[in-house]
Amino acid sequence: MKKLLSLTIAALISFSMISCASSAKQDTKKPAEPEKIVRVFNSEVAIKDTGSKPIKDMTGLEIVYDMKTGWNLGNSLDASGGGLNSEINWGQPRTTKAMIDGLARSGMKTIRIPVTWHSHVNDANYTIDPRWMTRVKEIVDWAIEDGMYVILNTHHDNFGRNAKMPYRYGYYPTLENEEESLAFLTNTWKQIALAFNNGYDEHLIFETLNEPRLQGTPQEWTFSSGNPITVAAQEELNKFNQEIVNVIRASGGNNAKRLIAVPGYACSPASVLAKEFKIPDDPANKIAVAVHMYAPYSFAMDGNGTKTYTPKIANELAYTFKQLETKFVKNNIPVYIGEYGAINKDNLEDRIQWFNTFVRQTRKMGITCVLWDNQAVEKDSNGWTEKFGYYNRNEQKWFFPEITETIMNAADLK
C-alpha cells in the first residue's frame, strides 16, 4: 500500500513539474504580431495608359546630357489644396498649351512638372482622383508633343511637422511613420506608373521625391553624418527610394527601362555626397541623382544677402560641382540639378555672371540644370525674398531675356 501511494505521489509531482515547465514556456512566448492591413488603391477608377511608343536604348548619362537645360512649372500643380482649382491656389494662371509651346520655342529642352498628390486622394487606400491624374497627363502630353523631356515627381507630399502622421498626409522619414509613408508612396507610384507607361518613351523621367526632410525640426534643411537624427532620416529615405524604384520597375513595359531620379535628404548635395546615401538596387541600372542648388545662399536666396557675384562664389560652386562629378558622373551615375536659380535683387549683370558659371561648368561635366520659376519678379513687402520669376506664362516671354540667352549659350557651350 505504501509502495502504491509512493508511486502515485511521485507521478503527481512529475506531472506538476511538467505542467509548470509547460506554463513557463508558454508565458515567455512572444505575443503574435497583428497582421498589417494591406491597402490597395481602387484600380477600377485609376487612369490607365493605353498608348504604344518604343523607348530608345539610351544610358542614363546620354539622356541627362540630351536634356540640355530645363525649367520648372513651379507653384502650379504642386500648390496646396484639393480639387482641380488647386492649380491656381498660389497665384499662378492655369497652365495652357500656349505656355508650354512658348517654352519649347524659346529653346528649353526639359520641363520639370512638380505635382502634389496627397491632397488629391479619394479614400484611405490612396486612390488618386482620376480628374487630377487626367489633368497631369494633359500637361505632360503637351510637353511631350513639343519634343521636350518631362520630369514628373511627387512634390509637396512631405508631412509638415514632426509628429505621428495621420493618413492622407503623404510621408515623413521617421521609423514611426514608415508604414503610413510607404502606403502612400507605393500606392501613389503604382497609379503614376499605370497612367504613364508604354505611351511614353525615354522623354519621360520619374523623380521619386522632392526635398524629403524632417519638417518642423531644427535639422529640417541641414544633413550631417554626425547627427543621428538626420542619419536615421536618410536611412528611411533609402528605403522609400528603393520601394518606389521597385514599384516602377514591377509595372513593366517602358517603365522597366525608364530613367528614375532619386534625391537624398532635403535634395542637398551634402546628403548625396555622404556615405549614408544609397543608390537603389535597380535591374535596369538606370538611376540618376537629383539635387537642388541655390548656392551660395547669401547670393542666390537671401533677400538681404549679397548682390555681388565674386570669384569666391565661383570657386564655391566649382567645388560642389566637382564633388558631384567625381562621386557620380565619373562612375556612370547621371546627375541633374532639378532646381537652381538666383533671386532678382536688381542685380542683372551679377546674376548673368552667376548663371554663366553655373550652367557652363555643369554642362561640361554632363550635369543638366532645371531652373526654378515661380513667376515672382517685383520687390514687395517681403523684399526680394523668393523672387524666382523668369518666364511670363501669360505672354510667353522671358522677364530677363539676357539671362535666358546666357543659359542657352552656356548649355550649348557657345
Side-chain angles (χ1 to χ4, degrees):
M1 185 69 177
K2 286 183 178 180
K3 184 176 182 180
L4 179 61
L5 183 60
S6 298
L7 289 172
T8 301
I9 293 171
L12 288 171
I13 292 171
S14 176
F15 177 77
S16 177
M17 291 176 65
I18 292 171
S19 297
C20 289
S22 177
S23 297
K25 187 175 182 180
Q26 289 177 355
D27 290 341
T28 58
K29 186 178 179 180
K30 292 182 179 179
E33 292 185 5
E35 288 188 21
K36 289 184 179 180
I37 299 174
V38 177
R39 285 177 284 172
V40 180
F41 67 93
N42 183 357
S43 61
E44 293 183 5
V45 301
I47 301 299
K48 301 173 179 63
D49 181 13
T50 59
S52 179
K53 186 182 290 187
I55 188 168
K56 288 183 181 178
D57 186 20
M58 297 173 67
T59 67
L61 289 175
E62 290 171 336
I63 290 172
V64 170
Y65 191 78
D66 197 46
M67 287 162 60
K68 186 179 172 181
T69 190
W71 176 88
N72 274 271
L73 182 66
N75 290 18
S76 290
L77 297 183
D78 54 315
S80 59
L84 297 181
N85 283 332
S86 67
E87 183 179 348
I88 60 175
N89 279 359
W90 286 356
Q92 299 302 321
R94 199 172 301 277
T95 307
T96 65
K97 188 176 187 303
M99 288 183 199
I100 307 303
D101 292 345
L103 190 70
R105 281 195 306 271
S106 72
M108 283 292 175
K109 188 75 178 290
T110 297
I111 179 171
R112 183 171 178 256
I113 302 180
V115 181
T116 294
W117 300 93
H118 76 273
S119 51
H120 296 277
V121 298
N122 290 339
D123 56 38
N125 294 325
Y126 293 108
T127 301
I128 295 169
D129 182 346
R131 299 173 304 163
W132 184 244
M133 184 67 81
T134 298
R135 175 58 174 157
V136 174
K137 277 179 70 73
E138 181 177 44
I139 297 173
V140 170
D141 289 349
W142 289 337
I144 294 292
E145 289 166 7
D146 283 336
M148 301 178 77
Y149 281 95
V150 175
I151 301 168
L152 184 61
N153 77 352
T154 60
H155 205 76
H156 291 303
D157 291 307
N158 197 153
F159 185 50
R161 52 202 161 114
N162 181 27
K164 178 67 175 176
M165 184 178 66
Y167 108 93
R168 290 186 71 172
Y169 278 77
Y171 67 89
Y172 199 79
T174 58
L175 185 60
E176 70 171 340
N177 287 302
E178 180 181 303
E179 183 177 350
E180 193 66 47
S181 295
L182 287 175
F184 164 74
L185 290 169
T186 56
N187 276 290
T188 297
W189 275 104
K190 283 177 182 177
Q191 291 169 89
I192 297 172
L194 190 63
F196 297 91
N197 196 333
N198 288 332
Y200 300 84
D201 62 14
E202 69 282 353
H203 283 83
L204 179 63
I205 297 157
F206 289 152
E207 183 181 274
T208 57
L209 306 165
N210 172 76
E211 296 179 350
R213 61 198 189 277
L214 296 170
Q215 289 203 53
T217 72
Q219 301 83 21
E220 181 171 353
W221 291 107
T222 306
F223 176 85
S224 171
S225 293
N227 188 325
I229 296 175
T230 56
V231 168
Q234 182 58 66
E235 290 171 352
E236 285 300 310
L237 293 174
N238 290 336
K239 295 177 189 177
F240 294 174
N241 281 330
Q242 184 65 65
E243 288 300 315
I244 295 169
V245 168
N246 292 346
V247 164
I248 294 169
R249 295 300 183 226
S251 66
N254 286 355
N255 288 341
K257 306 172 186 176
R258 191 171 308 288
L259 182 63
I260 303 172
V262 299
Y265 186 88
C267 271
S268 72
S271 66
V272 298
L273 291 168
K275 64 181 183 299
E276 288 82 9
F277 174 73
K278 304 296 182 187
I279 298 288
D281 293 330
D282 178 26
N285 193 30
K286 201 174 282 188
I287 300 292
V289 173
V291 299
H292 295 174
M293 277 187 68
Y294 300 96
Y297 173 81
S298 177
F299 180 85
M301 283 197 81
D302 185 359
N304 296 314
T306 181
K307 299 169 60 173
T308 306
Y309 179 81
T310 65
K312 182 180 178 182
I313 290 175
N315 291 336
E316 183 176 330
L317 292 174
Y319 177 75
T320 303
F321 297 152
K322 189 64 178 176
Q323 285 185 304
L324 293 170
E325 180 192 31
T326 300
K327 181 174 181 178
F328 298 113
V329 181
K330 288 189 174 180
N331 288 298
N332 297 317
I333 300 169
V335 175
Y336 68 75
I337 298 173
E339 292 183 20
Y340 81 112
I343 61 174
N344 178 29
K345 302 177 191 176
D346 271 346
N347 58 338
L348 180 59
E349 290 303 318
D350 290 276
R351 287 203 293 161
I352 287 173
Q353 293 181 62
W354 183 89
F355 275 104
N356 185 59
T357 298
F358 202 108
V359 179
R360 190 170 295 276
Q361 289 190 9
T362 51
R363 184 66 173 164
K364 287 179 180 178
M365 297 175 179
I367 298 172
T368 288
C369 302
V370 188
L371 183 66
W372 180 255
D373 193 337
N374 61 6
Q375 210 180 189
V377 177
E378 301 295 335
K379 189 176 183 180
D380 57 21
S381 59
N382 294 318
W384 294 116
T385 301
E386 291 292 326
K387 299 304 179 286
F388 288 102
Y390 298 96
Y391 182 58
N392 187 324
R393 303 181 196 185
N394 295 308
E395 300 179 13
Q396 290 82 62
K397 296 178 181 178
W398 293 93
F399 292 118
F400 306 100
E402 303 92 336
I403 290 179
T404 310
E405 183 180 4
T406 297
I407 291 172
M408 298 299 176
N409 287 339
D412 283 339
L413 301 181
K414 292 177 183 177

